[in-house]
Amino acid sequence: MKKIVLLLLFLSSLSVPVGAEELPSLYRGGRPLGMGNAFTAVSNDAHAIFYNPAGIPSRRSFSVLNPLFEVSEGSIDFVKDLKNLQGGSSNDAADFLSGRIGEHYHLASQLFPYLLRPSFQMGILARVNMDMEARNPVFPEVSTNVYYDAGLVIGAAHDFGRGLSSGAAIKYIRREGVVRKYTANDIVNNDFDPLDDLESASDFAIDLGGLAHLSEWTTAGSKIRRWDPTFGLVVQNITDLDFKTVGVMPMQVNAGIAIHPAFWSVPATIALDVKDIGKSVGPDDDMGKRTDFGMELQFKRWLSSVRLGVHQGYFSAGMTARLWILNVDIATYAEELGVTFRQRENRRTVVQLSGGF
């Protein structure tokens, strides 16, 4: 079944640059991405188990599928054109790739059904991620990174009082993927099947996080108390998520701070994150790529939230529309593919549906 899913999704998008420098992530949510992915100190919904388990909510709910879809500009058309090259001329394939050297194409989809009980969450993650980039103008080739993740995530949080809470999450993930470069001759070959190169590996890792609501340490009625400044710290991927030849997510430390003012009686959240403080992820040490900022305005009607942010130096925005028991999150953000701040932008659109009881 996994191979069928991989094949169908591969045929609707071939994938990534080995040379690209996108920082790896296991999961991203539509709401955090709309506010620049600055969520370490916010973490107050079902996304918390991946961002900071100390924020796992103290309520009961469940979500059946929680699907997310993500695409960068031109990706679907590129894949359709690439499929049409099979069985054709290698010269035509080389010309096609030559005209797109350096262009990056990204597609992803994921499901995360979960069960939430007071300060406890358990869910199943299934994610397909595909990136592709045409490279080498002399001998054009497609650098491809396609993988399918499936696994179990379990997390719990504990409130110590006085605004302090901590949490932990353990995740066991199996990855099947293809990380290869394919030439024009490979693409036009009628026997070409990337799944022949499929490799797999499994691993587990632990996240530990904490939240401190500083308002609990201030006097009643002070402005600081009304704004509820919150500090968050999380250590992700303890022991590393190492999938051998199909990717690795090293341990990293993220820190964030958030405040919760109100504008004209509209509740707001303003957050700042610094990811991978120790610079253990990726070959670069650029802090601009690791800094996120965002804000969210919360309303009570069908348009429940509007968000703005800056992710890795690029503008992001999002909104949530509430339709009875269904929430629709829409976001746009850009990922940095270069090794320095604001070097190579890859803009993406995200739609996530969430609902349950």
Side-chain angles (χ1 to χ4, degrees):
M1 182 62 184
K2 292 179 183 177
K3 292 185 178 181
I4 293 175
V5 172
L6 263 176
L7 178 60
L8 290 175
L9 284 166
F10 182 90
L11 292 178
S12 64
S13 102
L14 245 130
S15 318
V16 69
V18 171
E21 298 296 334
E22 179 176 347
L23 299 179
S25 61
L26 182 66
Y27 172 98
R28 288 177 175 175
R31 181 190 172 203
L33 287 171
M35 53 189 302
N37 212 37
F39 210 67
T40 301
V42 179
S43 296
N44 57 4
D45 61 14
H47 301 301
I49 195 171
F50 292 101
Y51 284 86
N52 187 346
I56 293 175
S58 295
R59 64 172 183 263
R60 295 174 180 267
S61 70
F62 72 87
S63 179
V64 179
L65 291 176
N66 202 22
L68 178 145
F69 308 94
E70 184 174 343
V71 61
S72 67
E73 183 178 356
S75 296
I76 295 175
D77 289 339
F78 181 80
V79 171
K80 290 179 179 178
D81 293 339
L82 201 63
K83 287 167 57 180
N84 293 333
L85 291 172
Q86 193 165 14
S89 162
S90 59
N91 288 333
D92 290 342
D95 290 340
F96 173 80
L97 296 178
S98 294
R100 292 159 179 81
I101 296 296
E103 295 295 324
H104 186 89
Y105 301 97
H106 171 85
L107 289 171
S109 62
Q110 71 186 29
L111 300 175
F112 182 57
Y114 63 83
L115 175 68
L116 183 62
R117 290 294 179 264
S119 299
F120 173 82
Q121 187 176 1
M122 178 174 64
I124 298 173
L125 176 65
R127 178 178 173 89
V128 178
N129 191 91
M130 290 157 284
D131 291 273
M132 174 172 51
E133 186 168 325
R135 293 179 171 274
N136 194 351
V138 179
F139 299 103
E141 59 190 10
V142 176
S143 183
T144 303
N145 181 4
V146 182
Y147 62 82
Y148 171 76
D149 286 343
L152 178 67
V153 184
I154 299 175
H158 179 72
D159 186 351
F160 294 96
R162 297 287 291 171
L164 300 177
S165 63
S166 67
I170 184 168
K171 45 202 178 187
Y172 175 80
I173 306 293
R174 177 177 176 81
R175 174 170 293 185
E176 296 186 3
V178 178
V179 181
R180 290 286 302 272
K181 295 179 181 179
Y182 295 103
T183 66
N185 287 333
D186 292 329
I187 293 169
V188 299
N189 192 328
N190 285 320
D191 296 326
F192 174 60
D193 184 0
L195 294 184
D196 291 341
D197 302 317
L198 195 68
E199 299 182 65
S200 62
S202 302
D203 202 2
F204 76 93
I206 298 171
D207 294 353
L208 297 176
L211 285 172
H213 292 269
L214 305 182
S215 59
E216 296 294 326
W217 299 81
T218 61
T219 58
S222 69
K223 180 177 291 188
I224 293 178
R225 190 177 184 88
R226 293 198 302 271
W227 283 19
D228 186 24
T230 306
F231 176 74
L233 184 70
V234 62
V235 184
Q236 293 183 323
N237 304 323
I238 298 173
T239 74
D240 298 343
L241 270 175
D242 188 356
F243 302 114
K244 311 302 180 185
T245 59
V246 284
V248 59
M249 293 184 209
M251 183 175 73
Q252 66 182 74
V253 179
N254 304 334
I257 189 167
I259 57 174
H260 304 84
F263 299 107
W264 302 284
S265 76
V266 176
T269 296
I270 301 174
L272 175 69
D273 270 18
V274 178
K275 307 285 194 351
D276 186 27
I277 293 174
K279 303 176 184 178
S280 60
V281 181
D284 65 272
D285 60 358
D286 193 290
M287 290 309 298
K289 289 179 58 175
R290 293 165 169 80
T291 303
D292 298 327
F293 172 81
M295 68 177 297
E296 177 182 63
L297 298 175
Q298 300 169 359
F299 303 98
K300 295 182 179 180
R301 299 188 178 184
W302 66 269
L303 182 61
S304 60
S305 300
V306 175
R307 306 177 188 94
L308 296 172
V310 178
H311 174 62
Q312 299 185 340
Y314 301 111
F315 169 78
S316 67
M319 58 171 281
T320 297
R322 182 180 294 124
L323 308 174
W324 191 41
I325 64 170
L326 181 67
N327 285 342
V328 181
D329 288 301
I330 302 173
T332 176
Y333 80 102
E335 191 72 13
E336 178 58 70
L337 300 181
V339 295
T340 60
F341 181 63
R342 294 185 61 85
Q343 182 183 17
R344 293 190 61 208
E345 176 184 5
N346 184 240
R347 182 151 294 278
R348 301 166 182 183
T349 301
V350 179
V351 177
Q352 184 170 24
L353 307 178
S354 58
F357 301 91

